[in-house]
Amino acid sequence: GAITSVGAFAADAAFGTDILELRTSGAVADSANVLDFSTSTSDVVVRAGTTVDLDTAAHDFNTVSISAGTTVTLNDANTLTVGTVDTQDGIATGGGQVDVTATGALTVAHQVTNTGGPAINLSGAGVDLSTANSDVSAGTGIITIDAGTGLFNMATGSSVATTTADINVSSDTIALAGLIQTATTGEID
């Protein structure tokens, strides 16, 4: 069945460096309640059969990894890292749209992918594709990366790729050591 957060959660000292795992064959959602990991070094891993909707703007995660059958929406009030948690890497969907927004810096330390046509939207006060494993791939969907007034950085070996759609990057400063690629019908803006 589905998992819905109906009350606020704050990781305390007793929770320490553990992980919070949310696993279901259904959906994972919040109901305007805050998941707050700011007082810990704990991370979150989500394994969902359908949608993951953690869209409350006041969430405060550290590192997150999500596997979902369809769409992913993730908001964070501060800095956020998409990385490896409990041996699961990055964010992957079975073809659904991915929307990740951080009010602070967004670090993509592992892949963000979907296998179909929906878009991938990444937004933060700076977006850092920090490793050679930082691959953003939208199948045939549009990829939008908005680093705001911050730096959009691509480490050596990182990539942003779509097979037939546009790639849009917005940032005050851009440092590219990775690959940005779209097919002949797409544009890079």
Side-chain angles (χ1 to χ4, degrees):
I3 297 172
T4 302
S5 168
V6 295
F9 174 82
D12 59 16
F15 196 78
T17 59
D18 291 336
I19 63 168
L20 174 63
E21 178 183 20
L22 303 173
R23 182 189 297 247
T24 178
S25 59
V28 173
D30 59 39
S31 57
N33 295 298
V34 175
L35 301 174
D36 183 359
F37 291 83
S38 64
T39 60
S40 74
T41 58
S42 303
D43 298 321
V44 177
V45 59
V46 179
R47 295 174 172 100
T50 61
T51 63
V52 174
D53 188 5
L54 298 174
D55 64 349
T56 300
H59 289 318
D60 196 350
F61 300 108
N62 295 311
T63 300
V64 175
S65 176
I66 298 172
S67 172
T70 58
T71 62
V72 171
T73 303
L74 178 65
N75 289 337
D76 191 282
N78 293 296
T79 61
L80 173 65
T81 298
V82 174
T84 301
V85 181
D86 193 35
T87 72
Q88 180 174 283
D89 297 329
I91 295 175
T93 73
Q97 181 161 318
V98 177
D99 295 297
V100 179
T101 302
T103 302
L106 173 61
T107 300
V108 178
H110 251 286
Q111 81 274 356
V112 176
T113 63
N114 71 37
T115 56
I120 292 178
N121 301 296
L122 304 176
S123 176
V127 177
D128 185 8
L129 278 63
S130 62
T131 72
N133 295 318
S134 302
D135 298 317
V136 179
S137 174
T140 59
I142 295 172
I143 298 173
T144 301
I145 298 172
D146 183 358
T149 58
L151 169 68
F152 172 54
N153 180 63
M154 291 184 71
T156 301
S158 64
S159 67
V160 177
T162 181
T163 57
T164 59
D166 294 348
I167 297 173
N168 304 301
V169 176
S170 174
S171 179
D172 274 4
T173 309
I174 297 176
L176 301 177
L179 171 70
I180 298 178
Q181 180 178 359
T182 185
T184 56
T185 58
E187 293 182 6
I188 299 172
D189 298 321

Short mmCIF file of all heavy atoms in Angstrom, two decimals, residues 130-168:
data_model
loop_
_atom_site.label_atom_id
_atom_site.label_comp_id
_atom_site.label_asym_id
_atom_site.label_seq_id
_atom_site.Cartn_x
_atom_site.Cartn_y
_atom_site.Cartn_z
N SER A 130 28.62 16.63 -9.66
CA SER A 130 29.89 16.63 -8.96
C SER A 130 30.82 15.47 -9.26
O SER A 130 31.99 15.52 -8.86
CB SER A 130 29.63 16.68 -7.45
OG SER A 130 28.90 15.54 -7.04
N THR A 131 30.36 14.41 -9.91
CA THR A 131 31.21 13.24 -10.14
C THR A 131 31.03 12.72 -11.57
O THR A 131 30.11 13.12 -12.28
CB THR A 131 30.87 12.09 -9.18
OG1 THR A 131 29.61 11.51 -9.55
CG2 THR A 131 30.82 12.54 -7.73
N ALA A 132 31.87 11.78 -11.95
CA ALA A 132 31.72 11.12 -13.25
C ALA A 132 30.43 10.30 -13.30
O ALA A 132 29.97 9.93 -14.37
CB ALA A 132 32.93 10.23 -13.52
N ASN A 133 29.82 10.02 -12.14
CA ASN A 133 28.55 9.29 -12.07
C ASN A 133 27.34 10.21 -12.15
O ASN A 133 26.21 9.77 -12.06
CB ASN A 133 28.47 8.48 -10.78
CG ASN A 133 29.51 7.41 -10.72
OD1 ASN A 133 29.77 6.73 -11.71
ND2 ASN A 133 30.14 7.25 -9.57
N SER A 134 27.57 11.51 -12.31
CA SER A 134 26.48 12.49 -12.34
C SER A 134 25.91 12.59 -13.74
O SER A 134 26.21 13.50 -14.50
CB SER A 134 27.01 13.85 -11.89
OG SER A 134 27.56 13.79 -10.61
N ASP A 135 25.06 11.64 -14.09
CA ASP A 135 24.46 11.59 -15.42
C ASP A 135 22.99 11.94 -15.32
O ASP A 135 22.26 11.32 -14.55
CB ASP A 135 24.63 10.21 -16.03
CG ASP A 135 26.09 9.84 -16.21
OD1 ASP A 135 26.85 10.70 -16.66
OD2 ASP A 135 26.45 8.69 -15.90
N VAL A 136 22.55 12.91 -16.12
CA VAL A 136 21.15 13.30 -16.18
C VAL A 136 20.65 12.89 -17.56
O VAL A 136 21.14 13.38 -18.57
CB VAL A 136 20.98 14.82 -15.96
CG1 VAL A 136 19.51 15.21 -16.05
CG2 VAL A 136 21.58 15.24 -14.61
N SER A 137 19.68 11.98 -17.59
CA SER A 137 19.21 11.43 -18.86
C SER A 137 17.69 11.33 -18.84
O SER A 137 17.13 10.66 -17.98
CB SER A 137 19.83 10.06 -19.09
OG SER A 137 19.27 9.47 -20.24
N ALA A 138 17.05 11.98 -19.84
CA ALA A 138 15.59 12.03 -19.88
C ALA A 138 15.00 11.21 -21.01
O ALA A 138 13.89 11.49 -21.44
CB ALA A 138 15.12 13.47 -19.98
N GLY A 139 15.69 10.23 -21.53
CA GLY A 139 15.12 9.48 -22.65
C GLY A 139 14.81 10.43 -23.79
O GLY A 139 15.71 11.02 -24.37
N THR A 140 13.53 10.65 -24.06
CA THR A 140 13.14 11.59 -25.12
C THR A 140 12.58 12.90 -24.55
O THR A 140 12.04 13.71 -25.29
CB THR A 140 12.08 10.95 -26.04
OG1 THR A 140 10.94 10.60 -25.25
CG2 THR A 140 12.63 9.73 -26.76
N GLY A 141 12.70 13.11 -23.24
CA GLY A 141 12.12 14.29 -22.60
C GLY A 141 13.06 15.48 -22.54
O GLY A 141 14.27 15.37 -22.69
N ILE A 142 12.47 16.65 -22.30
CA ILE A 142 13.22 17.90 -22.13
C ILE A 142 13.93 17.87 -20.77
O ILE A 142 13.36 17.42 -19.78
CB ILE A 142 12.27 19.11 -22.19
CG1 ILE A 142 11.66 19.24 -23.59
CG2 ILE A 142 12.98 20.40 -21.78
CD1 ILE A 142 10.56 20.28 -23.68
N ILE A 143 15.15 18.38 -20.75
CA ILE A 143 15.90 18.53 -19.49
C ILE A 143 16.07 20.01 -19.23
O ILE A 143 16.55 20.75 -20.10
CB ILE A 143 17.27 17.84 -19.56
CG1 ILE A 143 17.11 16.33 -19.77
CG2 ILE A 143 18.07 18.12 -18.28
CD1 ILE A 143 18.42 15.60 -20.01
N THR A 144 15.67 20.46 -18.03
CA THR A 144 15.85 21.85 -17.64
C THR A 144 16.66 21.87 -16.34
O THR A 144 16.29 21.22 -15.36
CB THR A 144 14.51 22.56 -17.42
OG1 THR A 144 13.76 22.51 -18.64
CG2 THR A 144 14.71 24.01 -17.00
N ILE A 145 17.76 22.62 -16.38
CA ILE A 145 18.61 22.80 -15.19
C ILE A 145 18.66 24.29 -14.91
O ILE A 145 19.11 25.07 -15.74
CB ILE A 145 20.02 22.22 -15.41
CG1 ILE A 145 19.93 20.71 -15.68
CG2 ILE A 145 20.91 22.53 -14.20
CD1 ILE A 145 21.23 20.07 -16.09
N ASP A 146 18.17 24.68 -13.72
CA ASP A 146 18.15 26.09 -13.33
C ASP A 146 19.00 26.26 -12.08
O ASP A 146 18.58 25.87 -10.99
CB ASP A 146 16.70 26.53 -13.08
CG ASP A 146 16.60 28.01 -12.72
OD1 ASP A 146 17.64 28.69 -12.63
OD2 ASP A 146 15.45 28.46 -12.53
N ALA A 147 20.18 26.83 -12.26
CA ALA A 147 21.09 27.06 -11.14
C ALA A 147 20.91 28.45 -10.54
O ALA A 147 21.70 28.87 -9.69
CB ALA A 147 22.54 26.86 -11.59
N GLY A 148 19.89 29.17 -11.00
CA GLY A 148 19.62 30.51 -10.45
C GLY A 148 20.81 31.42 -10.60
O GLY A 148 21.43 31.49 -11.66
N THR A 149 21.14 32.11 -9.53
CA THR A 149 22.30 33.02 -9.55
C THR A 149 23.58 32.29 -9.19
O THR A 149 24.64 32.91 -9.06
CB THR A 149 22.08 34.20 -8.59
OG1 THR A 149 21.87 33.68 -7.27
CG2 THR A 149 20.88 35.03 -9.01
N GLY A 150 23.51 30.98 -8.99
CA GLY A 150 24.67 30.20 -8.62
C GLY A 150 25.41 29.62 -9.82
O GLY A 150 25.12 29.94 -10.97
N LEU A 151 26.33 28.73 -9.55
CA LEU A 151 27.17 28.08 -10.54
C LEU A 151 26.52 26.78 -11.02
O LEU A 151 26.04 25.99 -10.21
CB LEU A 151 28.54 27.74 -9.92
CG LEU A 151 29.48 26.82 -10.70
CD1 LEU A 151 29.98 27.52 -11.97
CD2 LEU A 151 30.64 26.39 -9.83
N PHE A 152 26.51 26.57 -12.34
CA PHE A 152 26.20 25.25 -12.89
C PHE A 152 27.54 24.62 -13.21
O PHE A 152 28.27 25.10 -14.07
CB PHE A 152 25.31 25.32 -14.13
CG PHE A 152 25.15 23.98 -14.81
CD1 PHE A 152 24.69 22.88 -14.10
CD2 PHE A 152 25.45 23.82 -16.14
CE1 PHE A 152 24.55 21.64 -14.71
CE2 PHE A 152 25.31 22.58 -16.77
CZ PHE A 152 24.86 21.49 -16.05
N ASN A 153 27.88 23.54 -12.51
CA ASN A 153 29.17 22.88 -12.67
C ASN A 153 28.97 21.45 -13.13
O ASN A 153 28.11 20.74 -12.62
CB ASN A 153 29.92 22.87 -11.33
CG ASN A 153 31.26 22.20 -11.45
OD1 ASN A 153 32.13 22.64 -12.17
ND2 ASN A 153 31.42 21.08 -10.75
N MET A 154 29.78 21.04 -14.11
CA MET A 154 29.80 19.65 -14.57
C MET A 154 31.21 19.11 -14.42
O MET A 154 32.13 19.60 -15.06
CB MET A 154 29.36 19.56 -16.03
CG MET A 154 27.90 19.86 -16.27
SD MET A 154 27.43 19.62 -17.99
CE MET A 154 27.50 17.82 -18.12
N ALA A 155 31.35 18.09 -13.59
CA ALA A 155 32.65 17.44 -13.40
C ALA A 155 33.01 16.62 -14.63
O ALA A 155 32.15 16.24 -15.42
CB ALA A 155 32.60 16.53 -12.17
N THR A 156 34.29 16.33 -14.78
CA THR A 156 34.76 15.47 -15.86
C THR A 156 34.04 14.13 -15.80
O THR A 156 33.95 13.52 -14.73
CB THR A 156 36.28 15.26 -15.75
OG1 THR A 156 36.92 16.53 -15.80
CG2 THR A 156 36.81 14.35 -16.84
N GLY A 157 33.49 13.69 -16.92
CA GLY A 157 32.79 12.42 -16.99
C GLY A 157 31.30 12.52 -16.76
O GLY A 157 30.56 11.58 -17.03
N SER A 158 30.82 13.66 -16.24
CA SER A 158 29.37 13.83 -16.05
C SER A 158 28.71 14.10 -17.39
O SER A 158 29.36 14.48 -18.36
CB SER A 158 29.10 14.97 -15.07
OG SER A 158 29.55 16.20 -15.59
N SER A 159 27.38 13.91 -17.45
CA SER A 159 26.69 14.14 -18.72
C SER A 159 25.25 14.57 -18.50
O SER A 159 24.63 14.25 -17.49
CB SER A 159 26.73 12.89 -19.61
OG SER A 159 25.96 11.86 -19.03
N VAL A 160 24.73 15.30 -19.49
CA VAL A 160 23.32 15.66 -19.58
C VAL A 160 22.91 15.26 -20.99
O VAL A 160 23.47 15.77 -21.96
CB VAL A 160 23.09 17.16 -19.35
CG1 VAL A 160 21.62 17.52 -19.54
CG2 VAL A 160 23.59 17.59 -17.97
N ALA A 161 21.94 14.34 -21.13
CA ALA A 161 21.62 13.82 -22.46
C ALA A 161 20.14 13.51 -22.61
O ALA A 161 19.49 13.04 -21.67
CB ALA A 161 22.44 12.56 -22.74
N THR A 162 19.63 13.80 -23.80
CA THR A 162 18.29 13.41 -24.21
C THR A 162 18.35 13.04 -25.68
O THR A 162 19.19 13.57 -26.42
CB THR A 162 17.26 14.53 -23.93
OG1 THR A 162 15.96 14.08 -24.33
CG2 THR A 162 17.60 15.80 -24.65
N THR A 163 17.50 12.14 -26.13
CA THR A 163 17.64 11.66 -27.50
C THR A 163 16.94 12.53 -28.53
O THR A 163 17.37 12.59 -29.68
CB THR A 163 17.11 10.21 -27.63
OG1 THR A 163 15.76 10.17 -27.19
CG2 THR A 163 17.96 9.26 -26.82
N THR A 164 15.83 13.21 -28.17
CA THR A 164 15.12 13.99 -29.20
C THR A 164 14.62 15.35 -28.72
O THR A 164 13.96 16.04 -29.48
CB THR A 164 13.89 13.20 -29.71
OG1 THR A 164 13.03 12.94 -28.60
CG2 THR A 164 14.30 11.92 -30.40
N ALA A 165 14.87 15.76 -27.51
CA ALA A 165 14.29 16.99 -26.97
C ALA A 165 15.35 18.02 -26.65
O ALA A 165 16.54 17.78 -26.82
CB ALA A 165 13.45 16.66 -25.74
N ASP A 166 14.90 19.16 -26.14
CA ASP A 166 15.78 20.27 -25.80
C ASP A 166 16.41 20.08 -24.44
O ASP A 166 15.87 19.40 -23.56
CB ASP A 166 14.99 21.59 -25.78
CG ASP A 166 14.48 22.00 -27.14
OD1 ASP A 166 14.91 21.40 -28.15
OD2 ASP A 166 13.65 22.92 -27.19
N ILE A 167 17.56 20.74 -24.27
CA ILE A 167 18.23 20.85 -22.98
C ILE A 167 18.35 22.35 -22.69
O ILE A 167 18.91 23.09 -23.49
CB ILE A 167 19.62 20.19 -22.99
CG1 ILE A 167 19.48 18.69 -23.25
CG2 ILE A 167 20.34 20.45 -21.66
CD1 ILE A 167 20.81 17.97 -23.45
N ASN A 168 17.77 22.78 -21.56
CA ASN A 168 17.80 24.18 -21.18
C ASN A 168 18.59 24.35 -19.89
O ASN A 168 18.28 23.70 -18.89
CB ASN A 168 16.37 24.70 -20.96
CG ASN A 168 15.50 24.49 -22.18
OD1 ASN A 168 15.82 25.00 -23.25
ND2 ASN A 168 14.43 23.73 -22.03
#
